[in-house]
Amino acid sequence: MKNKFLKTAFLGCLFITMISCSSDKESKDEETDPPVLGTDGLTTQNVTNYIVDKKATVETVALFYNLKKLGKTKVAIGQQSAFDSFYQDTGGDSDIKKNTGYDPALLGSDFMFITDKNNNNQSDNWFYQQEQKIISDTKAAYAKGMINTFSWHLREPYNEDTFYTDEMTTDQKSKAFKSILPGGVNHEWYKKKLDKLASVFLNLKGSKGELIPVIFRPFHEFDGSWFWWGANFCTPEEYKTNYKFTVEYLRDTKGVHNLLYAFSPDNSYTTAEGYLSRYPGDAYVDVLGMDNYGDFNNQGSSGVNKANAKLKMLSNMVLTNKKIVALTETGYRVTASTPPITDWFSGYLYSALNDNPTYDANIIEVNYVMFWYNDTNGYYVPTNSVSNAADFKTFTLKPKSALLNSLPKMYELPK
């Protein structure tokens, strides 16, 4: 769960911040090449059997295959808004690159401003300018060989002012999600929002005119109650219905074939049965994700073991369906009043991403991890000028960590 620390700030501020803190830990890991897990049966010939869109572009199919294979030995490391949100507004290269010398492997973006009611598609409109900046960043990341993922903090369908339930009336909270389902009073409104997304997806093109693949992560952290699509405001069947409609509308009605779809609750689930309680099915999901700040929020080794167990739970679940596993959001936000935790990256997080023997499960295979974004007053990823800079750099140099320089060609299937 992410706790708010900024409101939809001012229109000159780049994003809405949702703080989530993190953890402490003492852990040791061997500085040797990580073991290669056994073959999973995924081949370049059968890969389309396991993805949501059977008409996916060749680059999208390649992204799925290469990201899945990468997870046997590496974890791709990325950050939300890495090209635009900087600690102390330093600008320039991403804060990850400032620290390590390399770009992140993954860039996180959001449709919040793109689908905002105030975006009038005019060049002098601030929201439209943010849309153009996000599109530009996505294209730049793709050109570098990075992976792109989009979340969507969609504002409620009544006043379109917020996505947080503590800013909505009781009546709005109880009806908002139901109203966008097929047959609901706001279903057409929702389709128009999806039309906007489709337009963006279909105009994300590389230098050769090819569509840029994107991992799309709608209605995340649904097991909590802080968003209007949370578990308190819709039944499991209603959530599944909307997720399926979203996929089918984009894929089948709008003809968007450059997407992989991510299913991404918060960290409340500890069993496969619980995790799958709102799962729309393998036919609609490419990425089994989990946002997890809480287990790393000063929870020490016990928190690491909890996080590790949950990631192993997901890893065991994909042995048959070949899905991608991701820590879709995580981090520990450091500010002037919240100091860093010693070895948070190289000790605690790295242990959670690896075969921590404390938890007795078969394997762990995490394909990517994404940190939340830095801003003026705080950071999730240290720059090269703060006290825990070395800890993050050490984390990125460990055998299983991958920044851009460690990625294969993600958009080409191996011959």
Side-chain angles (χ1 to χ4, degrees), residues 184-218:
V185 294
N186 290 312
H187 184 60
E188 291 303 314
W189 170 89
Y190 181 57
K191 286 168 64 176
K192 287 184 172 59
K193 297 298 184 182
L194 290 177
D195 289 343
K196 177 66 177 183
L197 266 61
S199 176
V200 172
F201 287 136
L202 291 172
N203 285 285
L204 285 174
K205 294 182 179 180
S207 60
K208 298 178 182 178
E210 76 279 19
L211 290 168
I212 296 173
V214 168
I215 300 171
F216 180 42
R217 189 168 66 102

Side-chain angles (χ1 to χ4, degrees), residues 180-251:
I180 69 170
L181 296 174
V185 294
N186 290 312
H187 184 60
E188 291 303 314
W189 170 89
Y190 181 57
K191 286 168 64 176
K192 287 184 172 59
K193 297 298 184 182
L194 290 177
D195 289 343
K196 177 66 177 183
L197 266 61
S199 176
V200 172
F201 287 136
L202 291 172
N203 285 285
L204 285 174
K205 294 182 179 180
S207 60
K208 298 178 182 178
E210 76 279 19
L211 290 168
I212 296 173
V214 168
I215 300 171
F216 180 42
R217 189 168 66 102
F219 301 106
H220 66 299
E221 297 181 5
F222 51 81
D223 47 327
S225 59
W226 46 93
F227 295 141
W228 58 269
W229 53 85
N232 287 348
F233 313 111
C234 61
T235 67
E237 288 309 310
E238 287 168 341
Y239 184 86
K240 294 176 192 178
T241 295
N242 183 65
Y243 195 105
K244 290 177 181 179
F245 173 81
T246 301
V247 172
E248 291 171 349
Y249 189 79
L250 290 171
R251 182 191 62 194

